[in-house]
Amino acid sequence: MSWLDVAHWVGPQTNAAPLTRRALLVRASVAAGGAFSVEAFGGGHASATTWPPASAYSGEVPAAWFDLALDLVRTTPGFSPPVASRAFGYAGVALYQAVVPGIPRRRSLAGELNGLAEAPRPAQHAYHWPTVASSALASILRSLFPTTPAVNRAAIEELDRRFSTEARATLPPVVYRRSVKLGADVAMHVFEWSKLDGGHEAFLRNFPPFTPPSGPGLWEPTPPGYLPALQPYWGTNRPFVLRSGQTCSAAPPPAYSENPGSPFYREAHECYASVNRLTPGQEAIARFWSDDPGETATPPGHSISILTQVVRALDLPLGSAAEAYAKVGVAVADAFISCWSTKYRFNLLRPVTYIRRLIDPNWTPLLITPPFPEYTSGHSVQSGAAAQVLTDLFGPLAFTDRTHERTGLSPRSFGSFIEAAHEAAISRLYGGIHFRAACERGVEQGLCVGKRVSALPGHGPRLDHV
């Protein structure tokens, strides 16, 4: 599926084509050894101080749940990139808020995120933090994906049951029940907060009524589908960290001009020539980062996938993983609000419109143009935001991205997260759907978002090893 089919995919009447139940359950299953047990537990009367903190447990529990969340986004109708980014943001916050009482030296995000009040604090009793985390993620994903196909609902129940079975086998019943309740209560608290942000149930209305402005240089629906504008009001949603969608806004794009000697024309001709002369390597880059809805977990899902690979590669403990999922989730969510605010303020036309009108009426870009204005590039903004947060958490880590390995695309290796973000950005020029300014300034916009997110409470996962 591609953006050509997006009207069917993101509309509320779509019948999804999800994975088979067997494939989803295999995808959701985990090698959970060590995720729950640290050593033999005593009786049910252990005090809170005798039970291990979140850092004593593996980060595999959230990694498994976010693996499943990627599949939910890919196979649930309506989860366009902005809607998907929002889901990852709330899932990450629910996870972190649920386990933060078990993370020494960490503070709650209540009062730090816009409108988030403190949930009732847990009593000073023993909690099993992997069970708290699993319960919170199971609960928040059920709430965020109420229309997901039955096979996906079964996958949620199966993964929940896998972790619950292991927990019941090692925990005193009172600790198990208390831990499940804490996770579910925090998830409900976060979900109720989410309802007021302007994006609640947006998967049902990706194309609300909207009349785009008209005039020279302004966006208009693009071939081949000529779809209406997707989520034109997303930039007015309540962000997580930013004061508004305009907090990290980019400077205006190059002045529109049809003069062949103008900077705008030169950018358009660069896009035209780049697509016409693509090398095999450039085409591979464009397709690796395309992240089309319905075929993939969309661009914010790609960032979550990179994080999950890091969580497993570094064998992060639960507390570290919770902080990382919260910050990367918030970063991609705020990135889309910031980007969409910019897109619908400038309403700039897409390359295919300009090039067919002024350079080559028969030109076709490599990738299908998404149905919303050009400036800035959503891939660039969200990649820059995620890269900044990942860098602040882990440093300039070299890594190999295997996000699309199972669909036949070769892994790509990078010297740093920022390097990967710049490749994701330039991929949109190679695909023929963005001008260079939208790519480069989009990364800058994303870095601004990421820095705001990195200022949230937390000291970086490496401290959990101390």
Side-chain angles (χ1 to χ4, degrees):
M1 185 180 296
S2 69
W3 279 108
L4 180 60
D5 308 299
V6 77
H8 301 292
W9 178 253
V10 300
Q13 304 301 320
T14 305
N15 290 320
L19 290 174
T20 65
R21 183 172 188 275
R22 174 179 174 80
L24 258 176
L25 296 185
V26 168
R27 175 78 167 147
S29 65
V30 294
F36 280 76
S37 59
V38 288
E39 55 186 39
F41 295 113
H45 301 289
S47 70
T49 57
T50 64
W51 281 66
S55 60
Y57 302 91
S58 163
E60 181 57 33
V61 168
W65 277 110
F66 276 94
D67 270 348
L68 181 53
L70 297 180
D71 280 328
L72 296 179
V73 165
R74 185 173 63 82
T75 58
T76 303
F79 277 77
S80 61
V83 178
S85 73
R86 177 181 181 273
F88 292 128
Y90 284 113
V93 171
L95 166 65
Y96 180 81
Q97 289 296 93
V99 302
V100 71
I103 310 176
R105 303 186 305 277
R106 298 296 199 274
R107 299 200 316 271
S108 165
L109 296 176
E112 303 286 344
L113 302 182
N114 297 320
L116 178 61
E118 190 68 77
R121 300 290 295 176
Q124 292 299 311
H125 295 303
Y127 288 90
H128 185 241
W129 299 111
T131 297
V132 173
S134 184
S135 175
L137 287 168
S139 297
I140 196 68
L141 292 180
R142 290 186 188 103
S143 296
L144 292 170
F145 292 87
T147 58
T148 201
V151 64
N152 293 359
R153 294 195 296 273
I156 293 173
E157 298 311 313
E158 177 66 17
L159 188 56
D160 191 16
R161 185 161 47 248
R162 285 178 60 89
F163 285 131
S164 295
T165 298
E166 185 166 348
R168 287 176 183 272
T170 59
L171 297 177
V174 65
V175 174
Y176 170 77
R177 291 192 299 269
R178 182 188 300 139
S179 300
V180 169
K181 185 177 187 304
L182 175 59
D185 287 349
V186 171
M188 182 55 65
H189 179 77
V190 170
F191 182 64
E192 289 300 316
W193 167 60
S194 78
K195 292 180 180 180
L196 304 178
D197 71 348
H200 180 55
E201 295 186 341
F203 47 80
L204 299 176
R205 52 179 191 280
N206 274 287
F207 298 104
F210 174 72
T211 301
S214 60
L218 296 182
W219 179 82
E220 57 191 69
T222 52
Y226 295 95
L227 300 176
L230 183 139
Q231 294 295 351
Y233 309 110
W234 198 262
T236 65
N237 284 359
R238 177 191 68 199
F240 286 76
V241 171
L242 304 182
R243 295 186 64 183
S244 74
Q246 298 185 33
T247 299
C248 282
S249 186
Y256 179 76
S257 174
E258 299 180 1
N259 183 334
S262 68
F264 196 95
Y265 186 96
R266 288 198 297 271
E267 282 209 359
H269 197 275
E270 177 192 27
C271 180
Y272 171 71
S274 295
V275 172
N276 291 351
R277 303 174 196 157
L278 278 181
T279 67
Q282 290 170 333
E283 181 174 348
I285 288 171
R287 296 197 184 281
F288 184 81
W289 294 103
S290 184
D291 291 312
D292 296 321
E295 291 182 352
T296 72
T298 73
H302 198 144
S303 292
I304 294 294
S305 171
I306 290 172
L307 170 57
T308 298
Q309 293 171 71
V310 172
V311 167
R312 289 185 168 127
L314 299 184
D315 193 22
L316 287 187
L318 174 56
S320 301
E323 180 182 339
Y325 279 115
K327 288 185 174 179
V328 174
V330 166
V332 298
D334 273 12
F336 270 88
I337 293 173
S338 178
C339 180
W340 253 241
S341 174
T342 303
K343 281 183 179 293
Y344 285 96
R345 184 162 76 260
F346 294 114
N347 286 287
L348 189 66
L349 84 176
R350 286 281 184 168
V352 67
T353 304
Y354 187 95
I355 291 169
R356 286 190 176 185
R357 187 173 294 158
L358 297 169
I359 299 176
D360 181 351
N362 298 313
W363 184 76
T364 299
L366 176 69
L367 304 179
I368 292 175
T369 302
F372 35 81
E374 191 270 346
Y375 187 85
T376 48
S377 155
H379 274 61
S380 306
V381 181
Q382 78 88 30
S383 295
Q388 182 66 58
V389 169
L390 288 166
T391 301
D392 290 336
L393 289 170
F394 305 111
L397 184 71
F399 71 101
T400 296
D401 182 3
R402 303 182 183 278
T403 293
H404 297 308
E405 196 168 35
R406 68 174 181 163
T407 61
L409 294 181
S410 298
R412 299 190 65 80
S413 296
F414 304 97
S416 69
F417 300 113
I418 300 296
E419 180 185 323
H422 283 292
E423 183 177 279
I426 201 65
S427 76
R428 309 312 271 169
L429 174 67
Y430 298 157
I433 60 178
H434 276 294
F435 304 118
R436 180 176 290 274
C439 302
E440 295 180 348
R441 295 181 187 173
V443 172
E444 295 171 0
Q445 185 174 3
L447 295 177
C448 174
V449 173
K451 289 174 183 176
R452 302 296 180 103
V453 175
S454 288
L456 288 170
H459 306 289
R462 286 162 289 184
L463 289 185
D464 270 354
H465 294 286
V466 176

